[in-house]
Amino acid sequence: MLYGSGIPGGVINQVQKRAQPLSFGEVGVGFGDPQASEAFVDYNHRFSDTFSARFTSVVRDSEEDIAELTNTRGYLGIATLWTPTPQTRLQFLGSFQQDNPITPTGAPTSLLGQVDADRLRDFYFGDPTDDNSDRTTINLGFEFEHEFESAWTLNAGFRYQNFDWDYRGFFVQDPVPDLNTVNRGAIDQFEESETYNLDLRLSRNFQTGAVNHDVLVGLDLRKYSFEDVSIFRTADPISFLNPVYSGANVGAITFTGANDLELEQFGLYLQDEMSFGNWRASLALRRDWADQNGTTFSSLVGTVQVVDQSDTATTGRAGLLYLFDNGMAPYVSYATSFDPEIGSNIEGNQLEPTKGQQWEAGLKYEPPGVDAFFSAAIFDLTQSNISANVVEGGARGTRQIGEAKSRGLELEASASLGEAWNIRAAYTYNDTEQTRGDNVGNELPNAPQSFAGLWANYTFAAGTPLENLTLGGGVRFIGDRFGDDSNNFALDDVTLLDLQIAYKITDDAHFSLNVTNVTDKNYLASCSAFGCRFGDGRTVQARLTYKW
């Protein structure tokens, strides 16, 4: 179970490839439509009984349905593993990534349903002559583990990240009365941040009577410095029916926003995962102190504002599960969260921390003797100080909209039937409601009430004419939802089909072909103050890999 700060709905656990105490490698190439090509190398070498290293490199060139939205990406990752004793491990992790993604403009809502949808999905409202993007991300860190003779284990993790992104993009403006001449503006964005994370923890397993404990106690430190400047400018309109991409005459400044902020956060946490008979219980407690300092500026206000904000919070988590001998496991859990927000709203005022709480109850089931898993859960989640994109006075920025609730049901199932079939299915019902702010009673934007997915793989048995071949297919359903906080703009539901073919050429060489949105269905994925964005059309990706 993950621990630490975050939101009750979950956090993303991003993991870089680690060095392993053996030698192996993999190389591959890939091609796709829309145009995409890539090559990668993943090589791990065991230099001695105590030292190993792993090198990962990826080069990718791609474009989206909008041909002008291109991205060339290069990635290099290095990891080492040193085990001087059986009780001690030290890992180094480092990565460098550089790319140049162009941000999509979105489509004006005035054109939706009024012009050809396929043309609108593929149309670029920016201008390649003026577009530019340069983004660099550097990560460095280590992970240390030592097991003491006293049965305590010490873990320490450190990560440094440097992020730098300068770009110019475009945004569109409604309305479009003649369904042709689209007003637009340009955005110059300059972002730079540095993050230092240190996590230090002690863990131990012990017994108290009939209760087994896995206890973890620790502290984490985070220092995050952030500088950004957003400049909104005028630009010439573009014709939807007869576009000319020879420069958008980017000109006068209409809005400027800037932040120069530093966040320092210190957290202490304690976790105890207990088992006694068929019962499983988890208790966790965390105390956070967060300080933000710096300055913000918004041209809507016209003055530099000094930020000096301190926040503290105590959060926790409790869970209880009973494991029946037949594989049934009912459970209940409750969690609270505290997550400082760095940055300012459209007026230059400091953002408040996001806070949340979540109840969940459900049932997990692993039938004995069958490779299958089933789960059902109901949840009730509340979050406050949620941020949203807004347009005010001709300027675009961020505003915290208040509080929202999310209640619903999640169903999941996976099963392997013999050596041929693998099946996965999931369904989520999510009823959202804004409970504070200017839109009380409305649903959250871009939050479908229903989402479902079904996927099945079939592998042909050895000795048959199609041995080593795997065929897969699936369906995704995204329910209807609203594209704005005021619920004035509805997005239709959509059903998408996906296919997969995989073939084992040899034990070491493999070929795969994945096709998403097979029918090339045209649909809206989301909307915001910056317009509406279409979901990906038909995407074909082929990959050939060789392992040793």
Side-chain angles (χ1 to χ4, degrees), residues 440-468:
V440 172
N442 289 353
E443 296 180 20
L444 283 173
N446 304 307
Q449 276 201 345
S450 293
F451 180 87
L454 174 65
W455 182 267
N457 276 344
Y458 181 84
T459 302
F460 291 88
T464 64
L466 297 178
E467 66 174 321
N468 299 326

Side-chain angles (χ1 to χ4, degrees), residues 2-69:
L2 292 174
Y3 56 88
S5 62
I7 58 175
V11 296
I12 299 174
N13 184 26
Q14 293 182 314
V15 179
Q16 182 180 332
K17 290 182 176 180
R18 266 63 170 169
Q20 305 296 323
L22 67 160
S23 294
F24 62 86
E26 181 181 14
V27 296
V29 294
F31 301 94
D33 180 35
Q35 180 179 326
S37 57
E38 69 170 355
F40 71 90
V41 177
D42 181 13
Y43 178 63
N44 192 101
H45 186 74
R46 181 184 181 186
F47 290 91
S48 68
D49 291 342
T50 61
F51 185 78
S52 301
R54 187 169 188 172
F55 305 88
T56 306
S57 179
V58 181
V59 177
R60 180 176 175 84
D61 185 44
S62 63
E63 67 179 40
E64 300 184 23
D65 290 318
I66 300 173
E68 290 81 4
L69 299 184

Side-chain angles (χ1 to χ4, degrees), residues 10 121 128 436:
R121 180 180 66 180
R436 281 194 220 158

Side-chain angles (χ1 to χ4, degrees), residues 220-297:
D220 67 53
L221 302 169
R222 176 166 66 127
K223 182 178 180 180
Y224 178 63
S225 57
F226 174 69
E227 294 182 37
D228 82 317
V229 178
S230 302
I231 302 173
F232 288 71
R233 298 177 180 272
T234 60
D236 287 345
I238 187 171
S239 169
F240 176 68
L241 299 178
N242 186 29
V244 176
Y245 297 112
S246 59
N249 192 27
V250 175
I253 296 175
T254 59
F255 171 78
T256 301
N259 295 288
D260 184 358
L261 299 168
E262 183 175 274
L263 167 68
E264 293 183 347
Q265 184 176 358
F266 173 66
L268 294 173
Y269 56 87
L270 172 66
Q271 175 179 290
D272 187 5
E273 294 191 346
M274 297 163 279
S275 60
F276 40 101
N278 287 22
W279 289 98
R280 305 290 184 269
S282 177
L283 294 173
L285 193 65
R286 180 182 173 93
R287 179 67 175 176
D288 278 286
W289 295 263
D291 293 304
Q292 291 195 50
N293 298 280
T295 59
T296 68
F297 174 80

Side-chain angles (χ1 to χ4, degrees), residues 143-164:
E143 294 180 359
F144 175 77
E145 179 180 311
H146 180 74
E147 298 176 7
F148 295 99
E149 293 182 0
S150 60
W152 285 96
T153 298
L154 171 68
N155 290 90
F158 172 80
R159 186 183 69 136
Y160 165 80
Q161 182 183 82
N162 181 279
F163 178 83
D164 191 342

Side-chain angles (χ1 to χ4, degrees), residues 32 77 128 283 285 438 469 506:
L283 294 173
L285 193 65
D438 296 332
L469 177 66
T506 68

